[in-house]
Amino acid sequence: MLSSFTSRKTHSSLIIIEDNADQPSSYLFQTFIHNASLQHLKVHVICFENPVEKWTRILNSNVNIHDCFSDHRGWNNVNEENDLQGVYQEKGLLGVVQELLNHGDGKPSVVCIDSLTPVLFRHGLNKCYRDLHALLSIARKDEEKLNQLVAVIHEDAVPERWDTLEQMRHLATTVFQIQLASSPNSSGWGLLHVTHRKAGGKIVKQVEEYRIEKDYSVLSREKKNQQLEASEDVDPTVAVQNLTTFKLTLNPQEEEARSQLVLPYTRQGRPKGQSGGGKVFYEPDAADDWDDEDPDDDLDV
Amino acid sequence: MSSSGSSFRKRVGTRVPFILGTKPSIQNAQLLTSTGVPSLDTFIGGGIPIGTLFLIEEDVYGNFAKLLFKYYLAEGVISQHDLHVVSQDVDPVQMIEDLPKPIEKANLKEGSHFGPKDQMNIAWRYQNLPSVQTEPDTDFGHHYDITQKMDPAQMQKVNITYWNADEIDGTHLNGNNAYYEELLESIKQRIKNGQFYSEDSPKKRNVLRIGVQSLGSLLWGRDSTNLILFLYKLRSLLQSSYCICLLTIPTHLIKKISDVHRCQHLCDTAVKLESFAGSDRETNPIFKDYHGLFYINKLPAINSLCSHVPGSFDLAFKLRRKRFSIEMLHLPPELQETTQREQDDFGSVMLGCSNPRSKTLDF
């Protein structure tokens, strides 16, 4: 499933990649950028966390790399023109992306954000969430303008982790959580959790093993969890009658006899000896000892 | 409860104004209006009482809450109530354009009794009972077809107003949340302009349906205290006017459970959706007929000591193309071994003292 995202067969407006110090996502992030640059799209990479040189060495030349790392408070650059970092300082993430989209040349843009962690620390969760939400609305309304947003979050380095991650997951269309490959025979295959919201509202969740080759091609396969395999259900084609030596079915005579059966307590008409009121009819049988004498006769009262 | 022997006659209809889309409650004289989902109406006592606040706690991915919100608005359009649509998460104008189309009453099938060929010999007492889910009274409330959109001409007849937060600067002023203040102000204005207060006497009484989608999400500021204050003020505003308000709140994002409880407490009716999408309950065979569970957390007790009590609190919902139904949760019969039981790893099923090698049941 990961390969369908990296090859852009499956569209997703906001992709969030969650990684941590043990499982860095930089190679996966580069894969997204590289595959987007191969297509007819304008790719912007905004560096909040790494110096620009890190990406320029690796990526294609047609990828636009923007620096919001070296001077993100705009202290050095005093003049107003062409100052993306000044825009970031004032208006935050939304301002920066809008600035980039305004200079677009007609091609749909893909914006890749190096890491949201500095943005969260600088402007706070509320503003960052608002900005991402606004960008997501732009992406949904107008795919020609902003086609996709890819953002990395370091799940072990965000402020108020329990809240931030859930809010980001609530907003995102697709979340990739990179996990520790636990089994020893993984040999170069990483493990990740994918949660994707399809356009119709359906949610797809999968655990996958993935591997990225040197040429940024992605191999991914679903990891089946051994314990959850369904047990063998009773084969419905096996007739129940064959399982036991008892005869379970009825032949037609027996069925007819059954339908003729008079059930107790159903109204069948009055029994013989009709009478009204609550008169008791007592018929003694052989074992009864019927004595006509009144036992109170020998009382001396 | 029959009153045939006495001379008691219930006084009906003298002071309750007739408004399209509303009916007086059977139990008390409350004026009720439909939520848009007839099966939900039956469980909450006939409908939403006018002047109350209805809370829906959203499911994790928000799809079904949005759907219920659309049904609510569509019902307002059909009943020609005024609408006031508020949302920061989605564009309210877009939401109105996406309303589902109502289904004509004549096309609905009726619930069936057991047919004459199912003559029961042993369980004859059950012969005349209707089958499990009876069709709720569809004179009140409509069913909607979600694959089709509502006719825009019908929406033109209705006075719809919107509120979005575009022009508001979100910074807090004196510890108050600007969004909640502005929203409350806009609702107050709307009620005043439309003469919806109880004391007003407009020419033709109507109901204002307010819908707030995804209130309390992070776009409103991460501020539970102000949310609760807003609910308190809103509820008092509604109680003295001919309005109802439906809120959907993503309570799974509110970390403090006490805040969630306070929100529930401050609303008149509180329900919660739990959808199976994306969880392992989706594949659980017990729940295969349903799309999620439905919880009723609070029911209104207005001018009375006790609220309506539905037949059961174990409810589940199911979405089909032409109907969204909420029904009592029925577990399917347990016919065969399921994956829930601990299956032995021995590869064969041991039943009691039977012979493990053969598959026949020997006694």
Side-chain angles (χ1 to χ4, degrees):
Chain A
M1 215 184 144
L2 175 64
S3 41
S4 67
F5 284 101
T6 50
S7 60
R8 308 185 64 81
K9 260 191 279 171
T10 315
H11 176 75
S12 169
S13 303
L14 173 59
I15 295 183
I16 289 198
I17 304 175
E18 282 183 20
D19 67 352
N20 49 41
D22 295 323
Q23 331 294 331
S25 65
S26 53
Y27 209 48
L28 183 61
F29 187 58
Q30 283 166 39
T31 313
F32 274 103
I33 303 175
H34 178 87
N35 290 337
S37 68
L38 293 176
Q39 299 192 7
H40 189 67
L41 294 163
K42 195 160 163 59
V43 185
H44 297 276
V45 178
I46 313 180
C47 300
F48 287 108
E49 197 176 64
N50 295 303
V52 176
E53 292 72 33
K54 174 175 174 180
W55 301 114
T56 42
R57 273 185 290 126
I58 308 172
L59 298 171
N60 273 347
S61 49
N62 65 338
V63 174
N64 310 351
I65 306 180
H66 306 278
D67 179 20
C68 280
F69 165 75
S70 53
D71 183 26
H72 60 97
R73 291 238 180 197
W75 286 331
N76 292 340
N77 201 357
V78 196
N79 48 343
E80 302 291 319
E81 25 142 316
N82 217 7
D83 181 18
L84 206 60
Q85 306 203 68
V87 174
Y88 172 57
Q89 157 73 359
E90 277 179 37
K91 298 192 207 157
L93 180 61
L94 181 60
V96 170
V97 180
Q98 276 176 337
E99 188 71 25
L100 296 177
L101 292 178
N102 287 343
H103 296 318
D105 51 0
K107 285 195 275 185
S109 301
V110 173
V111 177
C112 303
I113 299 173
D114 178 297
S115 167
L116 282 175
T117 306
V119 185
L120 286 167
F121 274 108
R122 171 73 188 86
H123 288 282
L125 176 60
N126 278 2
K127 179 134 178 50
C128 186
Y129 186 90
R130 273 203 96 78
D131 289 348
L132 277 178
H133 184 262
L135 291 173
L136 189 56
S137 327
I138 298 176
R140 279 194 191 135
K141 252 190 235 165
D142 193 2
E143 263 186 42
E144 293 303 309
K145 196 169 174 197
L146 175 60
N147 187 283
Q148 191 178 69
L149 274 161
V150 181
V152 174
I153 287 190
H154 304 304
E155 56 125 13
D156 50 355
V158 285
E160 283 153 346
R161 181 170 181 267
W162 37 268
D163 201 7
T164 310
L165 289 179
E166 278 217 23
Q167 300 281 0
M168 290 296 156
R169 284 175 200 157
H170 181 75
L171 191 58
T173 318
T174 313
V175 180
F176 293 109
Q177 294 169 295
I178 304 189
Q179 313 254 312
L180 187 62
S182 51
S183 54
N185 56 353
S186 47
S187 63
W189 290 82
L191 188 66
L192 59 75
H193 279 238
V194 184
T195 309
H196 174 60
R197 277 191 227 205
K198 285 197 184 155
K202 196 166 175 315
I203 314 288
V204 179
K205 268 194 183 179
Q206 251 182 36
V207 180
E208 282 199 336
E209 290 183 320
Y210 72 105
R211 187 196 184 100
I212 307 182
E213 306 295 338
K214 285 262 171 2
D215 61 347
Y216 295 114
S217 62
V218 175
L219 295 166
S220 66
R221 62 185 184 206
E222 192 175 343
K223 181 167 189 232
K224 292 240 195 309
N225 202 346
Q226 260 72 25
Q227 294 101 358
L228 292 182
E229 266 175 28
S231 67
E232 215 178 281
D233 283 338
V234 172
D235 191 356
T237 58
V238 170
V240 183
Q241 294 86 296
N242 298 340
L243 285 178
T244 167
T245 51
F246 284 109
K247 177 164 164 294
L248 293 174
T249 49
L250 300 169
N251 51 19
Q253 295 92 332
E254 287 167 352
E255 273 205 42
E256 203 195 305
R258 188 172 88 158
S259 63
Q260 304 268 345
L261 179 65
V262 172
L263 293 169
Y265 309 115
T266 51
R267 200 158 285 184
Q268 298 295 332
R270 291 233 175 216
K272 298 180 237 173
Q274 309 226 358
S275 65
K279 206 150 177 222
V280 176
F281 296 95
Y282 177 60
E283 287 157 46
D285 57 18
D288 273 333
D289 183 18
W290 186 259
D291 193 358
D292 270 332
E293 285 176 8
D294 186 4
D296 289 336
D297 281 346
D298 55 358
L299 275 179
D300 203 11
V301 180
Chain B
M1 282 275 285
S2 79
S3 54
S4 54
S6 71
S7 60
F8 175 76
R9 296 278 176 266
K10 189 170 178 180
R11 183 178 53 166
V12 156
T14 48
R15 287 194 307 192
V16 175
F18 174 71
I19 307 175
L20 181 62
T22 64
K23 71 171 185 191
S25 157
I26 321 172
Q27 283 138 344
N28 46 27
Q30 270 295 326
L31 202 56
L32 300 176
T33 184
S34 172
T35 51
V37 181
S39 45
L40 176 57
D41 289 338
T42 52
F43 284 109
I44 58 173
I48 308 180
I50 303 275
T52 62
L53 192 53
F54 193 107
L55 167 66
I56 297 180
E57 295 184 49
E58 290 182 10
D59 47 322
V60 176
Y61 295 101
N63 299 324
F64 292 105
K66 226 177 266 184
L67 190 64
L68 285 184
F69 191 71
K70 282 190 189 164
Y71 283 137
Y72 169 79
L73 295 175
E75 186 67 31
V77 172
I78 299 293
S79 316
Q80 296 185 6
H81 295 160
D82 280 17
L83 294 186
H84 190 68
V85 188
V86 176
S87 172
Q88 287 205 50
D89 275 53
V90 296
D91 182 15
V93 181
Q94 184 64 41
M95 186 164 263
I96 288 285
E97 284 169 19
D98 277 343
L99 288 183
K101 187 173 172 198
I103 299 179
E104 300 307 315
K105 296 273 170 67
N107 295 343
L108 292 172
K109 286 191 310 193
E110 291 170 3
S112 62
H113 292 212
F114 291 111
K117 60 179 160 66
D118 293 337
Q119 187 72 18
M120 291 188 215
N121 283 325
I122 298 177
W124 49 270
R125 283 282 185 211
Y126 294 98
Q127 183 74 47
N128 292 329
L129 286 183
S131 53
V132 177
Q133 299 295 337
T134 43
E135 188 66 28
D137 177 17
T138 49
D139 289 340
F140 181 70
H142 303 77
H143 290 283
Y144 296 92
D145 184 353
I146 51 174
T147 52
Q148 294 180 342
K149 294 219 172 100
M150 189 179 278
D151 190 11
Q154 230 166 0
M155 296 200 266
Q156 301 290 350
K157 295 187 236 166
V158 178
N159 188 1
I160 306 180
T161 46
Y162 306 93
W163 185 91
N164 56 29
D166 286 343
E167 302 85 41
I168 300 175
D169 176 19
T171 53
H172 288 217
L173 328 148
N174 311 329
N176 294 335
N177 186 314
Y179 300 114
Y180 294 133
E181 298 287 320
E182 293 286 329
L183 176 58
L184 200 65
E185 199 49 49
S186 104
I187 292 178
K188 229 188 267 189
Q189 278 299 104
R190 183 76 177 84
I191 296 180
K192 200 161 124 187
N193 294 344
Q195 294 185 311
F196 289 108
Y197 281 118
S198 308
E199 306 92 52
D200 291 338
S201 32
K203 288 195 297 285
K204 184 167 179 296
R205 265 276 174 218
N206 202 353
V207 169
L208 174 65
R209 280 193 185 223
I210 307 172
V212 186
Q213 205 261 341
S214 224
L215 182 69
S217 71
L218 203 56
L219 293 172
W220 293 83
R222 199 178 10 160
D223 197 0
S224 303
T225 321
N226 277 319
L227 168 65
I228 290 163
L229 201 58
F230 169 76
L231 289 180
Y232 184 75
K233 293 183 200 169
L234 178 63
R235 190 180 180 197
S236 69
L237 195 61
L238 294 178
Q239 273 170 353
S240 53
S241 57
Y242 275 78
C243 306
I244 48 172
C245 180
L246 184 102
L247 311 170
T248 68
I249 298 188
T251 50
H252 56 98
L253 295 173
I254 299 179
K255 277 303 164 184
K256 262 169 79 175
I257 197 83
S258 59
D259 288 338
V260 175
H261 285 255
R262 284 165 86 186
C263 291
Q264 287 174 0
H265 195 64
L266 281 170
C267 298
D268 291 290
T269 319
V271 300
K272 181 175 162 139
L273 292 168
E274 182 191 319
S275 113
F276 296 147
S279 74
D280 52 6
R281 283 182 172 180
E282 201 171 11
T283 46
N284 192 331
I286 304 179
F287 295 128
K288 67 173 161 52
D289 288 333
Y290 304 108
H291 289 117
L293 297 176
F294 191 84
Y295 301 102
I296 298 183
N297 289 325
K298 185 178 178 190
L299 284 171
I302 301 168
N303 301 333
S304 70
L305 286 174
C306 176
S307 61
H308 164 79
V309 180
S312 157
F313 284 105
D314 285 320
L315 306 172
F317 64 85
K318 169 158 56 182
L319 172 66
R320 280 177 290 199
R321 193 167 65 94
K322 290 197 174 170
R323 182 186 306 186
F324 179 91
S325 58
I326 297 175
E327 16 186 271
M328 296 199 271
L329 178 63
H330 290 283
L331 298 179
E334 179 113 7
L335 290 171
Q336 56 201 15
E337 312 284 341
T338 61
T339 53
Q340 269 67 46
R341 306 251 189 91
E342 297 132 355
Q343 278 307 318
D344 35 6
D345 297 330
F346 315 134
S348 72
V349 174
M350 309 273 278
L351 296 165
C353 3
S354 66
N355 184 349
R357 259 165 280 133
S358 79
K359 275 221 162 188
T360 61
L361 307 166
D362 284 332
F363 288 83

